[in-house]
Amino acid sequence: MNTGDELPPLEIPITRTLIVAGAIASRDYQDVHHDPELARQKGSPDIFMNILTTNGLVGRYITDHFGPTAELRKVAIRLGAPNYPGDTMVLTGRVEAVDGDTATVRVVGANGIGKHVTGTVTVTLPPSEGLT
Amino acid sequence: MGTGSAFAVYQKCQCEAPWGDEGEGATVSYEPVVSHEAKAEAAAEPGDVFETRLKVYEGQRAAVSRVGKDPVNAPMIRHWCEAMGDTNPAYSGPDAIAPPTMLQAWTMSGLSGHTRGTHAYDELLGLLDDAGYTSVVATDCEQEYLRPLRPGDEITYDSVIESVSAKKTTKLGTGYFVTTRMDIRVGPDLAGTHRFRILKYAPLRRADRPAAGPARRDQSQKPSRPRPVINRDNAEFWEGVQRHRLLIQRCTGCGTLRHPWLPGCNACGGLDWDTVEASGEGTVYSYVVMHHPPFPAFDPPYAVGLIELAEGVRMIGNVLGVPYDKVRIGLPVRLEFREYDEELVLPIWCAQEGAAQEGAAQEGLYEHR
C-alpha cells in the first residue's frame, strides 16, 4: 500500500431501516432519526442519519478494506448534506500518508445532494500486511 | 467588492453549512420550527457582549466522572454491527473488541432519561436557548482510540467545553458552534478521546426553508434576496441600477474606467470622477456554477459570471437565458435588469443566443430535497 492508493468505493443504500437501526444501536432516540412527522415539524424534509451511524460506517469502510487485523487509531469526520431515506451514499477513500505501520486515509461519503461526510481515518496494520 | 453583487456577498456566508445530526445524545432536543430567528435578532444585546458571555464557558467542565449506563457488552456490539452491516470478525467471539467507532455510544443516555450536564454546560446551552438559538445539530466528531474496549469494561467519562465560536451564519440559520472534548476511561486508563462539535442555532422559519419533496417552492413564499451593501462610494451605482442604467465610473483626470466603484483612480490617483453608461454588451470572462449548499433565496444550480463589458471593465452577475451547464468563457451576453422584489433591482446578463430558454437556467433541474 502506498500514498495515493485509492480504496474501492462502497455504496451504502440509505434505507429507513438503516437510519433507524443505526440510531437505536447507537442509543440515539432523537425523534428526527425515526419519526418522519416530527422531523418535518422541526424543518427537516424527512428523518436523517445520525452522526454516530456515519462514524460507524466510515470505520467499517476502512476495516472492510484493510481486514480484521487493522486497528483504527483515529476517526475524524465532518458532516455536510444529510443522509435521507432513498438516497445512496458512496464512500471513497485515498491513502494520504504512510508512516511505518500507520496509514492516513482521506474519506468522502457523497450522496445525491452533496458530500454527506468528509473525514480522515488513521489506521495501523501489522507488519505482515505489506505497508511499505 | 464594494459594488459587487448581493449574491456574491451572500455566498460568503456559506463557508460553514452544517446540516446533519443533532447534538450530544439526548441532552438537547429539537424545538418546533417557529420564528426563533426573530427572537434571536430581538435579543437587543450587542453581539460582542453576548459572545463575551459565552466565551466565559471555555475551559469549564461539561461532565464530571460520569459512568456509562451499561458496561461494554456483546449484545450491544452485535446490534451495532448488524445495523452497520459490519462483519469484521474482530468484533465477535471470545476475544472480541468493541468497534472503536462505538466509543460515543457507551456514553449515551438512551431513552430512560438522562443526567443533565454540569451546571456550566447547562448554563451555556440555556443562555443560547434564551437568546433564540434553540436548535442543535452535530457537525464534527473526532475520536482517538488509545486502547480497545472489551465486553465487561466499565467506562467513565469527563467532558470539558473546549470552545465557543463567534456567531456564524449557516444554511440552517445563525448560531454558535460549541465544541466539547470528552475523555473516556476504563478504571484509570484513558481508552479514548472524543471531540464533538454542535451548532446551536436559531432555525429559519419554515416558510424560509426549501420545501420537502420534489415540488418546487411557491415563488411567492420565497425569502427575499440579500440586499446590496450601499455606501457613499457606490450609492450612485445602485441609484443607476434602480433606474435600469448601468453606470461605469470614469476618472476625469486620466479617463480610465473602473469597476467596482472606488473613491480614487487606480491609474493616476485622481479623486474626481464622472460616469459613462454601459452599452450593455459583454462576454463571459469566467464563471462558476453554484450547486450546493442551496440557500433559501436561490435555486441552484445557477451560473455566476465574471462579465467583461465592451467598455473593458469586469463585473459579477448571474448569467441567464442559457442552461447553467451551457455557460462558457467567451459567451456573448447582454445586460438586462431584473426586479426581484419591490425594492431590489439587479443587473443580470442574458446569453445572446437561446434567450427563449431563460428561466430554465435560473430554476434548474435540481430539486430541493
Side-chain angles (χ1 to χ4, degrees):
Chain A
M1 186 190 52
N2 297 295
T3 300
D5 284 359
E6 307 268 347
L7 277 60
L10 175 64
E11 274 195 23
I12 309 263
I14 310 300
T15 61
R16 281 180 196 280
T17 304
L18 172 59
I19 293 170
V20 173
I24 302 310
S26 57
R27 305 276 294 151
D28 184 345
Y29 292 87
Q30 291 284 336
D31 51 31
V32 290
H33 305 312
H34 62 260
D35 188 325
E37 183 48 41
L38 291 179
R40 278 192 284 274
Q41 283 180 21
K42 289 164 186 174
S44 174
D46 205 332
I47 63 167
F48 55 90
M49 183 177 284
N50 71 342
I51 194 169
L52 290 89
T53 301
T54 303
N55 207 40
L57 292 172
V58 168
R60 174 195 151 192
Y61 177 52
I62 298 300
T63 51
D64 273 4
H65 177 71
F66 290 104
T69 56
E71 292 179 20
L72 297 176
R73 297 297 181 193
K74 286 183 197 173
V75 175
I77 60 169
R78 168 164 291 183
L79 294 192
N83 270 343
Y84 294 121
D87 207 339
T88 299
M89 176 170 69
V90 181
L91 287 162
T92 52
R94 182 177 184 278
V95 177
E96 294 281 283
V98 178
D99 180 13
D101 60 355
T102 301
T104 305
V105 183
R106 180 81 181 152
V107 176
V108 175
N111 61 24
I113 49 175
K115 286 181 183 172
H116 168 65
V117 58
T118 52
T120 305
V121 179
T122 307
V123 60
T124 303
L125 305 186
S128 60
E129 298 297 316
L131 272 173
T132 53
Chain B
M1 188 168 299
T3 57
S5 313
F7 40 80
V9 173
Y10 208 39
Q11 283 171 25
K12 276 194 195 164
C13 303
Q14 299 180 41
C15 50
E16 305 199 58
W19 206 26
D21 183 29
E22 85 292 357
E24 203 167 19
T27 54
V28 199
S29 59
Y30 271 75
E31 295 294 328
V33 176
V34 291
S35 183
H36 296 302
E37 183 82 39
K39 189 179 168 189
E41 295 306 322
E45 191 167 25
D48 50 352
V49 173
F50 186 60
E51 280 178 30
T52 305
R53 288 176 66 197
L54 298 178
K55 286 277 180 193
V56 168
Y57 292 92
E58 289 186 348
Q60 297 199 33
R61 298 298 192 96
V64 180
S65 296
R66 296 249 205 102
V67 180
K69 289 219 162 184
D70 295 290
V72 176
N73 65 85
M76 282 174 64
I77 293 172
R78 187 171 58 77
H79 298 165
W80 171 280
C81 289
E82 283 182 2
M84 302 300 157
D86 197 332
T87 57
N88 189 341
Y91 305 148
S92 61
D95 297 324
I97 62 167
T101 52
M102 270 189 91
L103 188 65
Q104 188 185 359
W106 306 115
T107 71
M108 297 287 279
S109 47
L111 257 189
S112 58
H114 55 269
T115 322
R116 292 291 295 186
T118 57
H119 184 59
Y121 193 62
D122 285 349
E123 237 179 49
L124 171 59
L125 297 185
L127 264 181
L128 289 163
D129 283 336
D130 292 347
Y133 305 103
T134 51
S135 285
V136 59
V137 292
T139 62
D140 295 78
C141 172
E142 299 170 21
Q143 298 181 333
E144 190 162 0
Y145 314 112
L146 302 173
R147 54 150 282 185
L149 293 173
R150 297 177 187 279
D153 284 343
E154 299 259 11
I155 64 115
T156 58
Y157 56 97
D158 296 88
S159 178
V160 64
I161 301 163
E162 200 170 66
S163 66
V164 184
S165 76
K167 186 175 173 179
K168 300 285 185 182
T169 299
T170 76
K171 190 185 151 307
L172 290 171
T174 56
Y176 295 84
F177 289 89
V178 177
T179 306
T180 51
R181 195 192 65 244
M182 185 185 283
D183 289 338
I184 292 103
R185 290 189 161 76
V186 176
D189 300 333
L190 190 61
T193 62
H194 169 64
R195 178 177 284 118
F196 205 63
R197 185 166 300 126
I198 61 170
L199 172 69
K200 279 286 283 174
Y201 67 98
L204 297 172
R205 286 185 307 275
R206 191 150 206 175
D208 292 344
R209 304 181 65 90
R216 208 163 41 230
R217 276 169 294 146
D218 177 352
Q219 295 294 311
S220 65
Q221 288 182 3
K222 207 165 152 169
S224 58
R225 290 191 171 222
R227 310 288 103 171
V229 177
I230 299 176
N231 56 41
R232 63 181 180 180
D233 292 327
N234 66 16
E236 194 170 326
F237 172 81
W238 289 107
E239 286 162 14
V241 168
Q242 282 292 331
R243 290 179 285 119
H244 291 203
R245 294 180 64 210
L246 191 69
L247 300 178
I248 304 169
Q249 242 182 338
R250 176 173 60 190
C251 175
T252 49
C254 69
T256 303
L257 300 177
R258 64 179 185 253
H259 187 89
W261 283 40
L262 294 167
C265 176
N266 276 336
C268 72
L271 297 177
D272 296 323
W273 52 271
D274 61 6
T275 61
V276 293
E277 184 171 356
S279 68
E281 302 299 323
T283 55
V284 173
Y285 183 80
S286 187
Y287 66 97
V288 294
V289 175
M290 188 68 192
H291 287 271
H292 187 82
F295 223 45
F298 298 84
D299 287 317
Y302 55 88
V304 179
L306 177 62
I307 309 301
E308 185 160 276
L309 277 58
E311 290 79 8
V313 298
R314 295 174 194 149
M315 65 179 67
I316 289 173
N318 282 122
V319 181
L320 301 179
V322 61
Y324 67 90
D325 57 353
K326 301 295 184 211
V327 175
R328 292 290 180 272
I329 289 171
L331 181 74
V333 289
R334 187 193 300 272
L335 171 69
E336 288 190 15
F337 290 92
R338 176 160 293 194
E339 295 184 13
Y340 283 93
D341 55 46
E342 287 177 3
E343 298 168 349
L344 183 65
V345 178
L346 291 176
I348 57 158
W349 299 92
C350 279
Q352 296 216 39
E353 49 210 20
Q357 297 177 63
E358 180 172 344
Q362 188 190 21
E363 289 164 12
L365 303 170
Y366 184 102
E367 301 292 357
H368 289 287
R369 296 284 304 260

